[in-house]
Amino acid sequence: ELLYAQVVKTVRRRRLVQLTHRAVFGTQTAIEQVLASYGWQINTAFIERVNLSIRQHAAAVGRRVSTLCKGEAGLRDQLALYHVYYNFVLPHASLRQPLMVAEPIRSGGSAKLWLPCTPAMAAGLTDRVWSLREVLMFRVPPWPQPQMV
């Protein structure tokens, strides 16, 4: 029952010259039929957005950067910090919740109409937006160690 499609891009001299769709699981028509019921089509918009976010926040993944990590461990550390920042610290506009009553702002500007929300809040892992300081100071419990018999 799994339907899975792949978009294959052929690039020459940094220009897209050909775009083809390939059905990995299921048939091309079955995939297009299911997506059409939602008004969607096979594309790379979501994964391209994720790739851009990672490139902007993890220097080792960005293109043409001078700050490369010195091995796999450095890359893993940068991606782990980005992952926690993205899910616990960075509020997402698409997840924000409307307030029942607008809250006045101290500076006298327009009233606060939305409650910021992070993916961790939406998943029920936390009840607030964390600060980066809280993330860096959080004490991670040790992983369960195998029991010696």
Side-chain angles (χ1 to χ4, degrees):
E1 294 180 29
L2 177 64
L3 299 175
Y4 180 66
Q6 183 179 36
V7 176
V8 180
K9 293 181 176 181
T10 305
V11 179
R12 288 201 183 100
R13 296 183 186 164
R14 296 189 191 165
R15 290 199 171 244
L16 182 66
V17 293
Q18 184 179 7
L19 184 78
T20 56
H21 299 136
R22 187 177 79 120
V24 178
F25 292 105
T27 64
Q28 184 93 14
T29 55
I31 294 168
E32 289 172 354
Q33 186 177 15
V34 169
L35 291 175
S37 67
Y38 295 102
W40 298 344
Q41 58 184 354
I42 300 171
N43 66 45
T44 60
F46 296 117
I47 195 64
E48 293 292 345
R49 179 64 234 181
V50 169
N51 289 342
L52 176 62
S53 295
I54 292 171
R55 280 197 314 270
Q56 288 176 333
H57 289 94
V61 183
R63 295 180 181 165
R64 298 183 191 152
V65 295
S66 60
T67 56
L68 296 174
C69 60
K70 303 248 185 206
E72 188 177 328
L75 176 61
R76 191 177 297 120
D77 292 344
Q78 282 188 26
L79 290 177
L81 181 59
Y82 161 73
H83 183 74
V84 173
Y85 173 78
Y86 183 86
N87 288 299
F88 286 86
V89 178
L90 186 65
H92 294 246
S94 62
L95 297 175
R96 66 185 184 178
Q97 301 295 318
L99 292 172
M100 296 298 178
V101 178
E103 295 179 4
I105 296 178
R106 284 185 238 159
S107 63
S110 60
K112 181 178 175 183
L113 302 173
W114 301 95
L115 181 66
C117 188
T118 65
M121 291 170 65
L125 299 175
T126 186
D127 59 349
R128 60 186 164 72
V129 177
W130 289 28
S131 69
L132 188 55
R133 179 179 173 85
E134 286 177 290
V135 168
L136 295 174
M137 299 298 285
F138 183 76
R139 185 174 171 89
V140 178
W143 294 103
Q145 298 297 317
Q147 298 291 328
M148 298 300 284
V149 180

